[in-house]
Short mmCIF file of all heavy atoms in Angstrom, two decimals:
data_model
loop_
_atom_site.label_atom_id
_atom_site.label_comp_id
_atom_site.label_asym_id
_atom_site.label_seq_id
_atom_site.Cartn_x
_atom_site.Cartn_y
_atom_site.Cartn_z
N PHE A 853 -31.73 67.75 14.20
CA PHE A 853 -32.17 68.66 13.15
C PHE A 853 -31.16 69.78 12.93
O PHE A 853 -30.85 70.17 11.81
CB PHE A 853 -33.53 69.29 13.49
CG PHE A 853 -34.73 68.49 13.05
CD1 PHE A 853 -35.78 68.29 13.92
CD2 PHE A 853 -34.83 68.00 11.76
CE1 PHE A 853 -36.91 67.59 13.52
CE2 PHE A 853 -35.95 67.29 11.35
CZ PHE A 853 -37.00 67.09 12.23
N ILE A 854 -30.64 70.34 14.02
CA ILE A 854 -29.68 71.45 13.92
C ILE A 854 -28.39 70.99 13.25
O ILE A 854 -27.86 71.66 12.35
CB ILE A 854 -29.42 72.08 15.30
CG1 ILE A 854 -30.68 72.82 15.78
CG2 ILE A 854 -28.22 73.02 15.27
CD1 ILE A 854 -30.65 73.25 17.23
N VAL A 855 -27.87 69.83 13.65
CA VAL A 855 -26.65 69.30 13.03
C VAL A 855 -26.91 69.01 11.56
O VAL A 855 -26.06 69.30 10.70
CB VAL A 855 -26.16 68.04 13.78
CG1 VAL A 855 -25.03 67.35 13.03
CG2 VAL A 855 -25.72 68.41 15.19
N THR A 856 -28.07 68.48 11.24
CA THR A 856 -28.44 68.19 9.85
C THR A 856 -28.46 69.48 9.03
O THR A 856 -27.95 69.53 7.92
CB THR A 856 -29.81 67.48 9.80
OG1 THR A 856 -29.76 66.30 10.58
CG2 THR A 856 -30.19 67.12 8.37
N ALA A 857 -29.06 70.53 9.60
CA ALA A 857 -29.13 71.82 8.90
C ALA A 857 -27.74 72.40 8.67
O ALA A 857 -27.45 72.91 7.59
CB ALA A 857 -30.00 72.79 9.69
N LEU A 858 -26.89 72.31 9.67
CA LEU A 858 -25.52 72.82 9.50
C LEU A 858 -24.77 72.07 8.40
O LEU A 858 -24.05 72.67 7.60
CB LEU A 858 -24.76 72.75 10.82
CG LEU A 858 -25.14 73.80 11.85
CD1 LEU A 858 -24.48 73.50 13.19
CD2 LEU A 858 -24.77 75.19 11.36
N ALA A 859 -24.96 70.76 8.34
CA ALA A 859 -24.31 69.97 7.29
C ALA A 859 -24.79 70.42 5.91
O ALA A 859 -23.98 70.56 4.98
CB ALA A 859 -24.58 68.48 7.49
N GLU A 860 -26.08 70.68 5.78
CA GLU A 860 -26.60 71.12 4.49
C GLU A 860 -26.11 72.52 4.15
O GLU A 860 -25.70 72.79 3.01
CB GLU A 860 -28.13 71.09 4.48
CG GLU A 860 -28.69 71.47 3.12
CD GLU A 860 -30.20 71.42 3.05
OE1 GLU A 860 -30.88 71.27 4.08
OE2 GLU A 860 -30.71 71.56 1.92
N ILE A 861 -26.15 73.42 5.11
CA ILE A 861 -25.72 74.80 4.86
C ILE A 861 -24.24 74.84 4.48
O ILE A 861 -23.85 75.51 3.51
CB ILE A 861 -26.03 75.69 6.07
CG1 ILE A 861 -27.54 75.89 6.19
CG2 ILE A 861 -25.33 77.04 5.94
CD1 ILE A 861 -27.99 76.54 7.49
N ILE A 862 -23.41 74.13 5.22
CA ILE A 862 -21.98 74.10 4.90
C ILE A 862 -21.76 73.49 3.51
O ILE A 862 -20.96 73.99 2.73
CB ILE A 862 -21.19 73.35 5.99
CG1 ILE A 862 -21.20 74.17 7.28
CG2 ILE A 862 -19.77 73.03 5.53
CD1 ILE A 862 -20.74 73.40 8.50
N GLY A 863 -22.49 72.43 3.21
CA GLY A 863 -22.35 71.78 1.91
C GLY A 863 -22.76 72.67 0.75
O GLY A 863 -22.30 72.47 -0.38
N CYS A 864 -23.61 73.64 1.01
CA CYS A 864 -24.02 74.58 -0.04
C CYS A 864 -23.20 75.87 0.00
O CYS A 864 -22.99 76.50 -1.03
CB CYS A 864 -25.50 74.90 0.11
SG CYS A 864 -26.57 73.49 -0.22
N TYR A 865 -22.74 76.25 1.17
CA TYR A 865 -21.99 77.50 1.31
C TYR A 865 -20.61 77.41 0.68
O TYR A 865 -20.14 78.37 0.06
CB TYR A 865 -21.88 77.85 2.80
CG TYR A 865 -21.22 79.19 3.07
CD1 TYR A 865 -21.89 80.37 2.78
CD2 TYR A 865 -19.95 79.27 3.63
CE1 TYR A 865 -21.30 81.60 3.04
CE2 TYR A 865 -19.36 80.50 3.88
CZ TYR A 865 -20.04 81.67 3.59
OH TYR A 865 -19.46 82.88 3.84
N LEU A 866 -19.96 76.27 0.81
CA LEU A 866 -18.61 76.12 0.26
C LEU A 866 -18.58 76.25 -1.27
O LEU A 866 -17.74 76.98 -1.81
CB LEU A 866 -17.97 74.83 0.74
CG LEU A 866 -17.71 74.75 2.26
CD1 LEU A 866 -17.16 73.39 2.63
CD2 LEU A 866 -16.81 75.87 2.73
N PRO A 867 -19.51 75.60 -2.00
CA PRO A 867 -19.54 75.85 -3.45
C PRO A 867 -19.90 77.30 -3.78
O PRO A 867 -19.41 77.85 -4.76
CB PRO A 867 -20.62 74.89 -3.96
CG PRO A 867 -20.68 73.82 -2.94
CD PRO A 867 -20.38 74.49 -1.63
N ALA A 883 -17.37 70.18 0.75
CA ALA A 883 -18.79 70.43 0.46
C ALA A 883 -19.51 69.12 0.16
O ALA A 883 -20.59 68.85 0.70
CB ALA A 883 -18.94 71.40 -0.71
N LEU A 885 -18.58 66.11 1.06
CA LEU A 885 -18.62 65.32 2.30
C LEU A 885 -19.72 65.82 3.23
O LEU A 885 -20.42 65.03 3.87
CB LEU A 885 -17.25 65.36 2.99
CG LEU A 885 -16.11 64.66 2.24
CD1 LEU A 885 -14.78 64.93 2.93
CD2 LEU A 885 -16.38 63.16 2.13
N SER A 886 -19.85 67.13 3.30
CA SER A 886 -20.88 67.71 4.17
C SER A 886 -22.29 67.35 3.67
O SER A 886 -23.17 67.03 4.46
CB SER A 886 -20.71 69.23 4.23
OG SER A 886 -21.57 69.78 5.18
N LEU A 887 -22.48 67.39 2.36
CA LEU A 887 -23.79 67.02 1.81
C LEU A 887 -24.07 65.52 1.98
O LEU A 887 -25.21 65.12 2.21
CB LEU A 887 -23.90 67.45 0.35
CG LEU A 887 -24.03 68.96 0.16
CD1 LEU A 887 -23.97 69.31 -1.33
CD2 LEU A 887 -25.31 69.50 0.80
N ALA A 888 -23.03 64.71 1.90
CA ALA A 888 -23.20 63.27 2.16
C ALA A 888 -23.59 63.06 3.62
O ALA A 888 -24.47 62.25 3.93
CB ALA A 888 -21.93 62.51 1.81
N ALA A 889 -22.95 63.79 4.52
CA ALA A 889 -23.30 63.70 5.94
C ALA A 889 -24.74 64.17 6.16
O ALA A 889 -25.48 63.56 6.94
CB ALA A 889 -22.34 64.55 6.77
N PHE A 890 -25.14 65.22 5.47
CA PHE A 890 -26.51 65.72 5.55
C PHE A 890 -27.51 64.61 5.19
O PHE A 890 -28.47 64.36 5.92
CB PHE A 890 -26.67 66.94 4.64
CG PHE A 890 -28.07 67.21 4.19
CD1 PHE A 890 -29.01 67.70 5.08
CD2 PHE A 890 -28.46 66.99 2.88
CE1 PHE A 890 -30.31 67.96 4.67
CE2 PHE A 890 -29.75 67.25 2.46
CZ PHE A 890 -30.68 67.73 3.37
N ALA A 891 -27.27 63.93 4.06
CA ALA A 891 -28.17 62.86 3.63
C ALA A 891 -28.20 61.73 4.66
O ALA A 891 -29.27 61.20 4.98
CB ALA A 891 -27.75 62.35 2.26
N LEU A 893 -27.51 61.97 7.90
CA LEU A 893 -28.17 62.45 9.11
C LEU A 893 -29.69 62.40 9.00
O LEU A 893 -30.37 62.10 9.99
CB LEU A 893 -27.70 63.88 9.44
CG LEU A 893 -26.28 63.99 9.98
CD1 LEU A 893 -25.77 65.42 9.88
CD2 LEU A 893 -26.21 63.48 11.41
N LEU A 894 -30.21 62.67 7.82
CA LEU A 894 -31.66 62.58 7.64
C LEU A 894 -32.19 61.17 7.91
O LEU A 894 -33.33 61.01 8.34
CB LEU A 894 -32.06 63.04 6.23
CG LEU A 894 -32.07 64.53 5.97
CD1 LEU A 894 -32.37 64.81 4.50
CD2 LEU A 894 -33.07 65.26 6.86
N TYR A 908 -38.14 69.34 9.12
CA TYR A 908 -36.77 69.80 9.04
C TYR A 908 -36.70 71.20 8.43
O TYR A 908 -35.85 72.01 8.81
CB TYR A 908 -35.94 68.81 8.22
CG TYR A 908 -34.62 69.36 7.75
CD1 TYR A 908 -33.58 69.56 8.64
CD2 TYR A 908 -34.44 69.70 6.42
CE1 TYR A 908 -32.38 70.08 8.21
CE2 TYR A 908 -33.24 70.22 5.98
CZ TYR A 908 -32.21 70.41 6.87
OH TYR A 908 -31.04 70.93 6.45
N GLY A 909 -37.59 71.50 7.53
CA GLY A 909 -37.60 72.80 6.88
C GLY A 909 -37.65 73.95 7.87
O GLY A 909 -36.97 74.97 7.70
N VAL A 911 -36.55 74.01 11.00
CA VAL A 911 -35.26 74.13 11.68
C VAL A 911 -34.21 74.68 10.71
O VAL A 911 -33.40 75.53 11.08
CB VAL A 911 -34.81 72.78 12.27
CG1 VAL A 911 -33.41 72.87 12.85
CG2 VAL A 911 -35.79 72.32 13.34
N TYR A 912 -34.25 74.22 9.47
CA TYR A 912 -33.29 74.70 8.47
C TYR A 912 -33.39 76.23 8.33
O TYR A 912 -32.38 76.92 8.31
CB TYR A 912 -33.53 74.04 7.11
CG TYR A 912 -32.62 74.59 6.05
CD1 TYR A 912 -31.33 74.10 5.89
CD2 TYR A 912 -33.03 75.62 5.21
CE1 TYR A 912 -30.48 74.61 4.94
CE2 TYR A 912 -32.18 76.15 4.26
CZ TYR A 912 -30.91 75.64 4.12
OH TYR A 912 -30.07 76.16 3.18
N ILE A 913 -34.60 76.73 8.24
CA ILE A 913 -34.80 78.18 8.11
C ILE A 913 -34.23 78.90 9.33
O ILE A 913 -33.57 79.93 9.21
CB ILE A 913 -36.29 78.50 7.89
CG1 ILE A 913 -36.71 77.99 6.50
CG2 ILE A 913 -36.57 80.00 8.03
CD1 ILE A 913 -38.21 77.97 6.28
N VAL A 915 -31.81 77.87 11.41
CA VAL A 915 -30.35 77.78 11.41
C VAL A 915 -29.77 78.68 10.31
O VAL A 915 -28.75 79.34 10.51
CB VAL A 915 -29.88 76.32 11.26
CG1 VAL A 915 -28.37 76.23 11.10
CG2 VAL A 915 -30.33 75.50 12.47
N TRP A 919 -27.05 81.57 10.65
CA TRP A 919 -25.87 81.61 9.77
C TRP A 919 -25.73 83.01 9.16
O TRP A 919 -24.64 83.56 9.09
CB TRP A 919 -26.02 80.56 8.68
CG TRP A 919 -24.85 80.44 7.77
CD1 TRP A 919 -24.56 81.21 6.66
CD2 TRP A 919 -23.77 79.52 7.89
NE1 TRP A 919 -23.40 80.80 6.09
CE2 TRP A 919 -22.88 79.76 6.81
CE3 TRP A 919 -23.47 78.50 8.79
CZ2 TRP A 919 -21.73 79.02 6.62
CZ3 TRP A 919 -22.32 77.77 8.59
CH2 TRP A 919 -21.45 78.03 7.53
#
Side-chain angles (χ1 to χ4, degrees):
F853 272 134
I854 291 169
V855 171
T856 303
L858 285 171
E860 183 179 9
I861 290 169
I862 291 166
C864 293
Y865 185 71
L866 295 177
L885 294 172
S886 188
L887 288 174
F890 157 72
L893 287 163
L894 283 175
Y908 164 72
V911 174
Y912 176 84
I913 291 167
V915 174
W919 184 276

